Amino acid sequence: MSGVMSSLSTPGNVVVSRRAVTEAAWLRGLLIALALAFLGVFLVVPLVLVFQEAFSKGWQAYLAALTEPDAWHAVKLTLIAAGLAVPLNVVFGVAAAWSLTKFHFRGKQVLITLIDLPFAVSPVIAGLIYVLVFGSRGWLGPWLEEHNLSIIYAVPGIVLATVFVTFPFVARELIPLMQEQGVSQEEAALTLGASGWQTFRRVTLPSIKWGLLYGIILCNARAMGEFGAVSVVSGHIRGKTNTLPLHVEILYNEYQFAAAFAVASMLALLAVVTLVAKSFLEFKHQRDRERAAHAAARQEVS
Amino acid sequence: MSRNRVIPGFGLSLGYATLYTSLIVFIPLAALAASGISLGAETFWAVVSHPQAVASYTLSFGASLVAALINLIFGLLVAWVLVRYTFPGKRIADALVDLPFALPTAVAGIALTALYGRNGWFGQHLESWGFKVAYAPAGIVVALTFIGLPFVVRTVQPVLEGLERELEEAAASLGANRWQTFRRVLLPALVPALLTGFALSFARAVGEYGSVVFISGNMPYRTEITPLLIYSKLEQYDYAGASALGMMMLVFSFVLLLAINGLQYWSLRRRGGG
Amino acid sequence: MKFTRFFVVAALGLALSSPALADREILNVSYDPTRELYEAFNKDFIKHWQEETGETLVVRQSHGGAGKQTRAVIDGLEADVVTLALAYDIDAIAEKTGKIPADWQKRLPNNSAPYTSTIVFLVRKGNPKGLTDWDDLVKPGIEVITPNPKTSGGARWNYLAAWAYAKQKYGSEDAARDFITKLYQQVPVLDSGARGATTTFVQRGIGDVLLAWENEALLAINELGKGEFEIVVPSVSILAEPPVTVIDKNAEKHGTTDVAKAYLAYLYTPVGQKLAAENYYRPTDPEVAREYADLFPEVNLITVDSAFGGWREAQKTHFNDGGVFDHIYQPR
């Protein structure tokens, strides 16, 4: 892209800048081949296996596995859990990244590390901690039981566990990006008289939108795919507290391997939907930029 | 405390972030600590220093470290290729990167075991060359690499996309070759993101349970990870013992993550100063 | 912020978890190998109840590892009935929650076990290694597949069956301990659960013999590979009595005591017994048992109570931390 742009504006620099922004063809080829080989071995082959197993009993069996009422209920519950966990963690992630990158204060590294911690907590423990707090022998258990509220072994517990395991994604995606960007742009906007909210919306948000998008995609993918922690707090009640990953486990344990892999492949496809959305946004973004570049070039010519 | 007084929202954003962190992470983890501490110092130590537990820490942390290093190197490579080059199928490759998150870990474990098992597509060749992957520590590394793969790619990608090409052009016009530009200009800018990605994929690997139990074989002292030990404590209704092991893992991870975050902070400061 | 979030979550949860007003609902919390049995049984029971009372019932099922399921009930999963693997697990519910009386096991016939099972060997077609009894399993080069008794309830039965055999044959605890040590040295993979072990044996093609519940072995043969596997019944095995009970306090709270009691009683009727047999559990009703005698060969069955002094003892001596099983494996 920028090679094209610089050749439009300053033809004299072409040789220097081409060499500057890319590598020799053989090296490029080698790097692409290496990256693809890595992705191939670690992602494509396992995925092919999943789809092969999913279709091992034919199309009909595949569709039957996906249209079963319990599967639908699991889809619904998974979407609810992800639909609540993702926005909650987005608001938190932006707030945390803002405070951690735009200001200096003591204890910053500790807070960042605390944000990372849910990743390091084993799913077994992630479930256990909520049992210890909300379980009938836990800190809040007796109170909840008295008021006839259920958190664990019900939907709120599933949402909480999902929030916990996806907690760091958005924040962690934004922190390095906003660190890289510094504060000068915001400071300039503020000196020019913009309000805090305007500055955030007009200056910060556009510059972090890709990071935010990646954060949301990762957070969403993980929210839909989480098994371990949710499994501890779900109670596994068929047609009631089963999410898609738990449904996969049930099918697998019923020796319905094809159906289990079919539902798993659907989870993979759900993740792809978010990626298609991302690609679309990227495409639009690129087109807007190209239009702007063309307009600029035309102006220069005239 | 705050240096940049011009920028508003410090109290609100930090306050909210701290409150939310406390509710979701800190208080539940305090319950874990309380449960572990209820054992008393002596029993606690006996549980966490048992040879079987120690062997499992070595395995869990060792395998996670290897997996995170693999992801560091290949994650940078993949991110670089996806951002800088165009090639057929690039969008598909980009889309695939997030799959390890979407696939339930148990499915990943089953699929990988099927691939690397004695009669699997890879396993049959590897075993004939004398490499045992499934039901050996190597299998654990494979599973952990899989589940941590998106982290480095997805933290480096946005930073790489945001980098101004002018810097590289300037370096080149000053006579730097491509490798020098990469090492002196690009790499320093990527270090924070790389460290973040490394820390995240490491942390995620340490706690992983679902995919590993299928491929590891779970042999005591050899292929038994710490989360499995925690699970077997729970089977004996030994919540306190399970909490003690869980705390041990958390403390290790916390120290490691703190060190990595400190390193990142230091590299940023050094760059800012220089 | 915190409160809005809490209420949104709570409201959504309540909206989703409150049952439809019209139909009463009971929750049966069970363990892994009973999925097929209760799927069939629930259908039948719902029909039966409708015919008897005109009421449309909803029976919810929850399956998982036996220990995990028990913990869920202890920590607040509101099961109306539990149908678990061991009396030890239900004892834990009685002891830790007080929701059922300590003598719950006396409330239904046969120690509250409507059906029984035992541990058998599943071998590959034609039994190529010629395995006929426990002694053959410790011969050099034989690979035995059994899950980890620390994490799997089924694996504990396998272990105890082997121990009971060795003790009977060689006469002493020490000899039994040697036998068990040798047996576990032949195990290349300790899966975390019983069904994982079955998959390792059947799908991955690892091992010469799988130690399994009789019902699991029969199911595996019929579901996964007719003609690819055979069952070998050892000379001595263990009598597994998976018990059932109503969780009184939960059923009272839900107003479902009558349904819960009828549900379990129905397991003991000829219809329930036949369903059990069709799902490869040994029926306790002698008449139904005679009908299905071909399916279930006679075995010399030892009970946990007689050989190990009950589950509590067995768990403590063999499987808890520092128990016999932990001593089989030595640090490298």
Side-chain angles (χ1 to χ4, degrees), chain A residues 53 76-77 80 84 88 91 131 135-137 145 148-156 159-160 231-232 235-240 250 252-255 257, chain C residues 5 8-9 12-14 16-17 25 27 32 35-36 39 60-63 68-69 71-72 74-77 96 195 198-199 203-204 216 219 223-224 253:
Chain A
E53 291 277 340
K76 222 168 66 187
L77 186 55
I80 288 171
L84 285 171
L88 285 171
V91 173
V131 171
S136 46
R137 295 178 307 155
E145 229 154 77
N148 221 345
L149 292 170
S150 28
I151 302 274
I152 53 169
Y153 310 119
V155 177
V159 174
L160 264 179
S231 146
V232 177
H236 296 97
I237 308 171
R238 222 179 160 151
K240 207 165 155 188
I250 287 189
Y252 190 78
N253 276 341
E254 285 173 0
Y255 301 126
F257 298 126
Chain C
R5 199 183 48 116
V8 168
V9 172
L12 246 163
L14 286 177
L16 281 161
S17 58
E25 190 177 288
L27 172 61
D32 264 326
R35 290 165 196 271
E36 293 77 13
E39 200 170 314
R60 300 273 183 197
Q61 273 304 134
S62 166
H63 293 278
K68 188 177 180 181
Q69 295 292 82
R71 285 199 305 282
I74 290 173
D75 286 319
L77 180 60
K96 290 180 204 289
R195 293 222 158 162
T198 310
T199 316
Q203 302 282 101
R204 308 277 162 268
E216 286 287 284
L219 182 73
E223 296 270 316
L224 298 172
K253 185 173 161 191

Coordinates of all heavy atoms in Angstrom, one line a residue, chain A residues 53 76-77 80 84 88 91 131 135-137 145 148-156 159-160 231-232 235-240 250 252-255 257, chain C residues 5 8-9 12-14 16-17 25 27 32 35-36 39 60-63 68-69 71-72 74-77 96 195 198-199 203-204 216 219 223-224 253:
Chain A
E53 N -14.5 -36.1 11.0 CA -15.3 -36.9 11.9 C -16.8 -36.5 11.9 O -17.7 -37.3 12.0 CB -14.8 -36.8 13.4 CG -13.4 -37.4 13.6 CD -13.5 -38.9 13.9 OE1 -14.6 -39.3 14.3 OE2 -12.6 -39.6 13.7
K76 N -28.5 -21.5 22.4 CA -29.1 -20.3 23.1 C -28.3 -19.9 24.3 O -27.9 -18.7 24.5 CB -30.5 -20.6 23.4 CG -31.5 -19.5 23.1 CD -32.9 -20.0 23.2 CE -33.3 -20.3 24.6 NZ -34.7 -21.0 24.7
L77 N -28.0 -20.9 25.2 CA -27.4 -20.6 26.4 C -25.9 -20.0 26.1 O -25.5 -19.1 26.8 CB -27.3 -21.8 27.3 CG -26.8 -21.6 28.7 CD1 -27.5 -20.5 29.4 CD2 -26.8 -22.9 29.5
I80 N -26.2 -16.5 25.1 CA -26.5 -15.6 26.2 C -25.3 -15.4 27.1 O -24.9 -14.2 27.4 CB -27.6 -16.2 27.1 CG1 -28.9 -16.2 26.4 CG2 -27.7 -15.5 28.5 CD1 -30.0 -17.0 27.1
L84 N -23.5 -11.7 27.3 CA -23.3 -10.9 28.5 C -21.8 -10.7 28.9 O -21.4 -9.6 29.3 CB -24.0 -11.6 29.7 CG -25.5 -11.5 29.7 CD1 -26.1 -12.4 30.8 CD2 -25.9 -10.1 30.0
L88 N -19.5 -6.8 29.0 CA -19.0 -6.5 30.4 C -17.5 -6.3 30.3 O -16.9 -5.4 30.9 CB -19.4 -7.6 31.4 CG -20.8 -7.6 31.8 CD1 -21.1 -8.9 32.6 CD2 -21.1 -6.4 32.7
V91 N -16.3 -3.1 28.4 CA -16.4 -1.8 29.2 C -15.2 -1.8 30.2 O -14.5 -0.9 30.3 CB -17.7 -1.7 29.9 CG1 -17.7 -0.6 30.9 CG2 -18.8 -1.6 28.9
V131 N -17.7 -21.9 43.5 CA -18.4 -22.8 44.4 C -18.1 -22.4 45.8 O -18.9 -22.4 46.7 CB -17.9 -24.3 44.1 CG1 -18.4 -25.2 45.2 CG2 -18.4 -24.7 42.7
G135 N -21.5 -21.6 46.6 CA -22.0 -22.9 46.9 C -22.8 -22.9 48.2 O -22.6 -22.0 49.0
S136 N -23.6 -24.0 48.4 CA -24.4 -24.0 49.6 C -23.6 -24.0 50.9 O -24.1 -23.7 51.9 CB -25.5 -25.1 49.6 OG -24.9 -26.3 49.2
R137 N -22.3 -24.4 50.8 CA -21.5 -24.4 52.0 C -20.5 -23.2 51.9 O -19.5 -23.1 52.6 CB -20.7 -25.7 52.2 CG -21.7 -26.8 52.5 CD -21.0 -28.1 52.7 NE -20.1 -28.4 51.5 CZ -19.0 -29.1 51.5 NH1 -18.7 -29.7 52.7 NH2 -18.3 -29.3 50.5
E145 N -29.6 -19.2 49.5 CA -30.6 -20.2 49.7 C -31.8 -19.7 50.4 O -32.9 -20.0 50.0 CB -30.0 -21.4 50.4 CG -30.3 -22.7 49.7 CD -29.3 -23.8 50.0 OE1 -29.3 -24.4 51.1 OE2 -28.4 -24.1 49.2
N148 N -33.8 -17.9 48.1 CA -34.2 -18.7 47.0 C -33.6 -18.2 45.6 O -34.2 -18.2 44.6 CB -35.7 -18.7 46.8 CG -36.2 -20.1 46.5 OD1 -35.4 -20.9 46.0 ND2 -37.5 -20.3 46.6
L149 N -32.3 -17.8 45.7 CA -31.6 -17.4 44.5 C -30.6 -18.5 44.2 O -29.9 -19.0 45.1 CB -30.8 -16.1 44.8 CG -31.7 -14.8 45.0 CD1 -30.8 -13.7 45.5 CD2 -32.4 -14.4 43.7
S150 N -30.5 -18.8 42.9 CA -29.4 -19.7 42.6 C -28.4 -19.0 41.7 O -28.8 -18.4 40.7 CB -29.9 -21.0 42.1 OG -31.1 -20.9 41.4
I151 N -27.1 -19.1 42.0 CA -26.1 -18.6 41.2 C -25.4 -19.7 40.4 O -25.4 -19.8 39.2 CB -25.0 -17.8 42.0 CG1 -25.7 -16.6 42.7 CG2 -23.9 -17.3 41.1 CD1 -25.9 -15.4 42.0
I152 N -24.7 -20.6 41.2 CA -24.1 -21.8 40.6 C -25.1 -22.8 40.3 O -26.2 -22.9 40.9 CB -22.9 -22.3 41.4 CG1 -23.3 -22.7 42.8 CG2 -21.7 -21.4 41.3 CD1 -22.2 -23.5 43.5
Y153 N -24.8 -23.7 39.4 CA -25.7 -24.7 38.8 C -26.9 -24.0 38.2 O -28.0 -24.6 38.1 CB -26.1 -25.7 39.9 CG -24.9 -26.3 40.6 CD1 -24.8 -26.1 42.0 CD2 -23.9 -26.9 39.9 CE1 -23.6 -26.6 42.6 CE2 -22.8 -27.4 40.5 CZ -22.7 -27.2 41.9 OH -21.5 -27.7 42.5
A154 N -26.8 -22.8 37.8 CA -27.8 -22.1 37.1 C -27.1 -21.1 36.1 O -25.9 -21.0 36.1 CB -28.7 -21.3 38.1
V155 N -27.9 -20.3 35.4 CA -27.3 -19.5 34.3 C -26.4 -18.4 34.9 O -25.3 -18.2 34.3 CB -28.5 -18.9 33.5 CG1 -27.9 -17.9 32.5 CG2 -29.2 -20.0 32.8
P156 N -26.7 -17.7 36.0 CA -25.8 -16.7 36.5 C -24.4 -17.3 36.7 O -23.4 -16.6 36.4 CB -26.4 -16.2 37.8 CG -27.8 -16.5 37.6 CD -27.9 -17.8 36.8
V159 N -22.6 -17.6 33.5 CA -22.1 -16.3 33.0 C -20.9 -15.8 33.8 O -19.9 -15.4 33.2 CB -23.3 -15.2 33.1 CG1 -22.8 -13.9 32.7 CG2 -24.4 -15.6 32.2
L160 N -20.9 -16.0 35.1 CA -19.8 -15.5 35.9 C -18.5 -16.3 35.5 O -17.5 -15.6 35.3 CB -20.1 -15.8 37.4 CG -20.7 -14.7 38.2 CD1 -20.9 -15.2 39.6 CD2 -19.7 -13.5 38.3
S231 N -18.0 -26.1 33.2 CA -18.4 -27.5 33.5 C -18.6 -27.6 35.0 O -19.4 -28.3 35.5 CB -17.4 -28.5 32.9 OG -17.2 -29.5 33.7
V232 N -17.7 -27.0 35.8 CA -17.8 -27.1 37.3 C -19.0 -26.4 37.8 O -19.6 -27.0 38.8 CB -16.5 -26.5 37.9 CG1 -16.6 -26.5 39.5 CG2 -15.3 -27.2 37.5
G235 N -23.7 -27.9 36.5 CA -24.6 -28.9 36.9 C -25.0 -29.9 35.8 O -25.7 -30.8 36.1
H236 N -24.6 -29.6 34.6 CA -24.9 -30.5 33.4 C -26.3 -30.9 33.3 O -26.6 -32.1 33.0 CB -24.1 -31.8 33.6 CG -22.6 -31.5 33.6 ND1 -21.8 -31.4 34.7 CD2 -21.8 -31.4 32.5 CE1 -20.6 -31.2 34.4 NE2 -20.5 -31.2 33.1
I237 N -27.3 -30.0 33.5 CA -28.7 -30.5 33.3 C -29.0 -30.3 31.9 O -29.0 -29.2 31.3 CB -29.6 -29.6 34.2 CG1 -29.1 -29.6 35.7 CG2 -31.0 -30.2 34.1 CD1 -29.9 -28.7 36.6
R238 N -29.3 -31.4 31.3 CA -29.6 -31.5 29.9 C -30.8 -30.6 29.5 O -31.8 -30.6 30.2 CB -29.9 -32.9 29.4 CG -29.2 -33.2 28.2 CD -29.5 -34.6 27.7 NE -29.2 -34.6 26.3 CZ -28.7 -35.6 25.6 NH1 -28.6 -36.8 26.2 NH2 -28.5 -35.5 24.4
G239 N -30.7 -29.8 28.5 CA -31.7 -28.9 28.1 C -32.0 -27.7 29.0 O -33.0 -27.0 28.9
K240 N -31.0 -27.5 30.0 CA -31.3 -26.4 30.9 C -30.0 -25.7 31.2 O -29.9 -24.4 31.0 CB -31.8 -27.0 32.2 CG -32.6 -26.0 33.0 CD -33.5 -26.7 34.0 CE -33.8 -25.8 35.2 NZ -34.4 -26.5 36.3
I250 N -21.1 -34.3 26.3 CA -22.2 -35.3 26.5 C -22.3 -36.2 25.4 O -22.3 -37.4 25.5 CB -23.5 -34.6 26.8 CG1 -23.5 -33.9 28.1 CG2 -24.7 -35.5 26.6 CD1 -24.8 -33.4 28.6
Y252 N -20.1 -36.9 23.1 CA -18.9 -37.7 23.0 C -18.9 -38.9 24.0 O -18.6 -40.0 23.7 CB -17.6 -36.8 23.3 CG -16.3 -37.5 23.0 CD1 -15.9 -37.6 21.6 CD2 -15.6 -38.1 23.9 CE1 -14.7 -38.3 21.3 CE2 -14.4 -38.8 23.6 CZ -14.0 -38.8 22.3 OH -12.8 -39.5 22.0
N253 N -19.4 -38.6 25.2 CA -19.5 -39.6 26.2 C -20.6 -40.6 25.9 O -20.7 -41.6 26.5 CB -19.7 -39.0 27.6 CG -18.4 -38.6 28.2 OD1 -17.3 -39.1 27.8 ND2 -18.4 -37.7 29.2
E254 N -21.5 -40.2 25.0 CA -22.6 -41.2 24.6 C -22.1 -41.9 23.4 O -22.9 -42.6 22.8 CB -23.9 -40.4 24.3 CG -24.6 -40.0 25.6 CD -25.8 -39.1 25.3 OE1 -26.0 -38.8 24.1 OE2 -26.4 -38.7 26.3
Y255 N -20.8 -41.8 23.1 CA -20.2 -42.5 21.9 C -20.9 -42.0 20.6 O -20.8 -42.7 19.6 CB -20.4 -44.0 22.0 CG -19.7 -44.6 23.2 CD1 -20.4 -45.4 24.1 CD2 -18.4 -44.3 23.5 CE1 -19.8 -46.0 25.2 CE2 -17.8 -44.8 24.6 CZ -18.5 -45.7 25.5 OH -17.9 -46.2 26.6
F257 N -19.8 -40.0 18.4 CA -18.6 -39.2 18.0 C -19.0 -38.2 16.8 O -18.6 -37.1 16.9 CB -17.5 -40.1 17.6 CG -17.0 -41.0 18.7 CD1 -17.0 -42.4 18.5 CD2 -16.7 -40.5 19.9 CE1 -16.6 -43.2 19.6 CE2 -16.3 -41.3 21.0 CZ -16.2 -42.6 20.8
Chain C
R5 N -25.6 -4.6 36.8 CA -25.0 -5.8 36.3 C -25.6 -7.0 37.0 O -26.1 -8.0 36.4 CB -23.5 -5.8 36.3 CG -22.9 -6.8 35.4 CD -21.4 -6.7 35.6 NE -21.2 -6.8 37.0 CZ -20.6 -7.8 37.6 NH1 -20.1 -8.8 36.9 NH2 -20.4 -7.9 38.9
V8 N -29.2 -7.6 36.2 CA -29.4 -8.1 34.8 C -29.1 -9.6 34.8 O -30.0 -10.4 34.4 CB -28.5 -7.4 33.8 CG1 -28.5 -8.2 32.5 CG2 -29.0 -6.0 33.6
V9 N -28.0 -9.9 35.4 CA -27.6 -11.3 35.4 C -28.6 -12.2 36.2 O -29.1 -13.2 35.8 CB -26.2 -11.5 36.0 CG1 -25.8 -12.9 36.3 CG2 -25.2 -10.8 35.1
L12 N -32.0 -12.5 34.4 CA -31.9 -13.4 33.3 C -31.9 -14.8 33.8 O -32.6 -15.7 33.2 CB -30.7 -13.1 32.5 CG -30.9 -12.6 31.1 CD1 -29.7 -11.9 30.6 CD2 -31.4 -13.7 30.2
G13 N -31.1 -15.0 34.8 CA -30.9 -16.3 35.3 C -32.2 -16.9 35.9 O -32.6 -18.0 35.5
L14 N -33.0 -16.1 36.6 CA -34.2 -16.5 37.1 C -35.2 -16.8 36.0 O -35.9 -17.8 36.0 CB -34.8 -15.4 38.1 CG -34.1 -15.3 39.4 CD1 -34.7 -14.2 40.3 CD2 -34.2 -16.7 40.2
L16 N -34.6 -17.8 33.1 CA -34.3 -19.0 32.4 C -34.4 -20.2 33.3 O -34.7 -21.3 32.7 CB -32.8 -18.9 31.9 CG -32.7 -18.0 30.7 CD1 -31.3 -17.6 30.5 CD2 -33.2 -18.8 29.4
S17 N -34.1 -20.1 34.6 CA -34.1 -21.3 35.4 C -35.4 -21.6 36.0 O -35.6 -22.7 36.5 CB -33.0 -21.2 36.4 OG -33.2 -20.1 37.2
E25 N -41.5 -30.8 37.6 CA -40.2 -31.2 37.0 C -39.4 -31.9 38.1 O -39.3 -31.4 39.3 CB -39.5 -29.9 36.6 CG -38.3 -30.1 35.8 CD -37.7 -28.8 35.3 OE1 -38.3 -28.1 34.5 OE2 -36.6 -28.4 35.8
L27 N -35.4 -33.6 38.9 CA -34.0 -33.6 38.4 C -33.3 -34.9 38.9 O -33.3 -35.1 40.1 CB -33.3 -32.4 38.8 CG -31.7 -32.4 38.5 CD1 -31.5 -32.5 37.0 CD2 -31.1 -31.1 39.1
D32 N -21.8 -41.1 34.7 CA -21.7 -41.3 33.3 C -22.3 -42.5 32.6 O -23.1 -42.3 31.7 CB -20.2 -41.2 32.9 CG -19.7 -39.8 32.4 OD1 -20.6 -39.2 31.8 OD2 -18.6 -39.5 32.7
R35 N -26.4 -43.0 31.1 CA -27.1 -42.1 30.2 C -28.1 -42.8 29.4 O -29.3 -42.4 29.4 CB -26.1 -41.5 29.2 CG -25.2 -40.5 29.8 CD -24.0 -40.3 28.8 NE -22.9 -39.7 29.5 CZ -22.8 -38.4 29.6 NH1 -23.7 -37.6 29.1 NH2 -21.8 -37.8 30.3
E36 N -27.8 -43.9 28.8 CA -28.7 -44.6 27.9 C -29.8 -45.2 28.7 O -31.0 -45.1 28.3 CB -27.9 -45.7 27.1 CG -26.9 -45.2 26.1 CD -25.6 -44.7 26.8 OE1 -25.4 -45.0 28.0 OE2 -24.8 -44.1 26.1
E39 N -32.2 -42.4 29.7 CA -32.9 -41.8 28.6 C -34.2 -42.7 28.3 O -35.3 -42.2 28.1 CB -32.0 -41.7 27.4 CG -32.4 -40.7 26.4 CD -31.4 -40.5 25.3 OE1 -30.2 -40.4 25.7 OE2 -31.7 -40.6 24.1
R60 N -35.6 -34.1 34.2 CA -34.3 -33.6 33.8 C -33.2 -34.5 34.2 O -33.2 -35.1 35.2 CB -34.0 -32.2 34.4 CG -35.1 -31.2 34.1 CD -34.7 -30.5 32.8 NE -35.6 -29.4 32.5 CZ -35.7 -28.8 31.3 NH1 -35.0 -29.3 30.3 NH2 -36.6 -27.9 31.1
Q61 N -32.2 -34.6 33.3 CA -31.1 -35.5 33.6 C -29.8 -34.7 33.7 O -29.6 -33.8 32.9 CB -30.9 -36.5 32.4 CG -31.7 -37.8 32.5 CD -31.5 -38.6 33.8 OE1 -32.5 -39.0 34.4 NE2 -30.3 -38.8 34.2
S62 N -28.9 -35.1 34.6 CA -27.6 -34.6 34.6 C -26.6 -35.7 34.8 O -26.8 -36.6 35.6 CB -27.5 -33.6 35.8 OG -26.1 -33.3 36.1
H63 N -25.6 -35.8 33.9 CA -24.6 -36.8 33.9 C -23.2 -36.2 34.0 O -23.0 -35.1 33.5 CB -24.7 -37.7 32.7 CG -25.9 -38.5 32.6 ND1 -26.1 -39.7 33.3 CD2 -27.1 -38.3 32.0 CE1 -27.3 -40.2 33.0 NE2 -28.0 -39.3 32.2
K68 N -17.7 -35.8 40.7 CA -18.1 -34.4 40.4 C -19.6 -34.2 40.6 O -20.0 -33.2 41.1 CB -17.7 -34.2 38.9 CG -17.9 -32.8 38.4 CD -17.4 -32.8 37.0 CE -17.5 -31.5 36.3 NZ -17.1 -31.5 34.9
Q69 N -20.4 -35.2 40.2 CA -21.8 -35.0 40.4 C -22.2 -35.0 41.9 O -23.0 -34.2 42.3 CB -22.5 -36.2 39.7 CG -22.4 -36.3 38.2 CD -23.1 -35.1 37.5 OE1 -22.6 -34.0 37.4 NE2 -24.3 -35.4 37.0
R71 N -20.3 -33.9 44.3 CA -19.9 -32.6 44.8 C -20.9 -31.5 44.4 O -21.2 -30.6 45.2 CB -18.5 -32.2 44.2 CG -17.4 -33.0 44.9 CD -16.1 -32.2 44.7 NE -15.8 -32.0 43.3 CZ -15.3 -32.9 42.4 NH1 -15.1 -34.2 42.9 NH2 -15.0 -32.6 41.2
A72 N -21.4 -31.6 43.2 CA -22.4 -30.6 42.7 C -23.6 -30.7 43.6 O -24.2 -29.6 44.1 CB -22.8 -30.8 41.3
I74 N -23.7 -31.7 46.7 CA -23.3 -31.2 48.0 C -23.3 -29.7 48.0 O -23.7 -29.0 49.0 CB -22.0 -31.8 48.4 CG1 -22.1 -33.3 48.8 CG2 -21.4 -31.1 49.7 CD1 -20.8 -34.0 49.0
D75 N -22.8 -29.1 46.9 CA -22.6 -27.7 46.9 C -23.8 -26.9 46.4 O -23.8 -25.8 46.1 CB -21.4 -27.3 46.0 CG -20.1 -27.6 46.7 OD1 -20.0 -27.4 47.9 OD2 -19.2 -28.2 46.1
G76 N -25.0 -27.6 46.2 CA -26.2 -26.9 46.0 C -27.0 -27.3 44.7 O -28.0 -26.6 44.4
L77 N -26.5 -28.2 43.9 CA -27.3 -28.6 42.8 C -28.5 -29.3 43.3 O -28.4 -30.3 44.0 CB -26.5 -29.6 41.9 CG -27.2 -30.1 40.6 CD1 -27.7 -29.0 39.7 CD2 -26.3 -31.1 39.8
K96 N -22.5 -34.4 54.6 CA -22.1 -33.0 54.5 C -23.3 -32.0 54.3 O -23.1 -30.8 54.5 CB -21.2 -32.9 53.3 CG -19.8 -33.5 53.5 CD -18.9 -33.4 52.4 CE -17.8 -34.4 52.4 NZ -16.7 -34.2 53.4
R195 N -15.0 -43.4 30.4 CA -15.4 -43.4 28.9 C -14.1 -42.9 28.1 O -14.0 -43.3 27.0 CB -16.6 -42.5 28.7 CG -17.8 -43.1 29.3 CD -19.0 -43.0 28.4 NE -20.0 -44.1 28.8 CZ -21.3 -44.1 28.5 NH1 -21.8 -43.1 27.8 NH2 -22.0 -45.1 28.8
T198 N -12.3 -46.1 27.5 CA -12.9 -46.9 26.5 C -12.5 -46.4 25.1 O -12.1 -47.1 24.2 CB -14.4 -46.8 26.6 OG1 -14.8 -47.1 27.9 CG2 -15.1 -47.8 25.6
T199 N -12.5 -45.0 24.9 CA -12.1 -44.4 23.7 C -10.7 -44.7 23.3 O -10.3 -45.1 22.2 CB -12.3 -42.9 23.7 OG1 -13.5 -42.6 24.3 CG2 -12.3 -42.3 22.4
Q203 N -11.0 -46.5 20.0 CA -10.7 -45.6 18.9 C -9.2 -45.5 18.6 O -8.8 -45.4 17.4 CB -11.2 -44.2 19.2 CG -12.7 -44.2 19.4 CD -13.5 -44.3 18.2 OE1 -14.0 -45.3 17.8 NE2 -13.6 -43.2 17.4
R204 N -8.4 -45.4 19.6 CA -6.9 -45.2 19.4 C -6.2 -46.5 19.2 O -5.1 -46.5 18.8 CB -6.3 -44.5 20.6 CG -6.9 -43.3 21.1 CD -6.5 -42.0 20.3 NE -7.5 -41.0 20.6 CZ -8.6 -40.8 19.8 NH1 -8.8 -41.5 18.7 NH2 -9.5 -39.9 20.1
E216 N -20.8 -51.2 30.4 CA -20.0 -50.4 29.4 C -19.4 -51.2 28.3 O -19.3 -50.8 27.2 CB -18.9 -49.6 30.2 CG -19.3 -48.5 31.0 CD -19.7 -47.3 30.2 OE1 -18.8 -46.6 29.7 OE2 -20.9 -47.1 30.0
L219 N -22.1 -52.2 26.0 CA -22.5 -51.1 25.2 C -21.4 -50.8 24.1 O -21.7 -50.5 23.0 CB -22.6 -49.8 26.1 CG -23.1 -48.6 25.4 CD1 -24.5 -48.6 25.1 CD2 -22.9 -47.4 26.4
E223 N -22.3 -50.5 20.3 CA -22.3 -49.2 19.7 C -21.1 -48.9 18.8 O -21.2 -48.2 17.9 CB -22.3 -48.1 20.8 CG -23.5 -48.1 21.7 CD -24.6 -47.2 21.2 OE1 -24.3 -46.1 20.8 OE2 -25.8 -47.7 21.1
L224 N -20.0 -49.4 19.2 CA -18.7 -49.0 18.6 C -18.1 -50.0 17.6 O -17.3 -49.6 16.8 CB -17.7 -48.6 19.6 CG -18.1 -47.5 20.6 CD1 -17.1 -47.4 21.7 CD2 -18.2 -46.2 19.8
K253 N -38.8 -29.2 49.1 CA -38.7 -27.8 48.7 C -39.4 -27.6 47.3 O -40.1 -26.6 47.1 CB -37.3 -27.4 48.6 CG -37.1 -25.9 48.2 CD -35.6 -25.6 48.3 CE -35.3 -24.3 47.6 NZ -33.9 -24.0 47.4

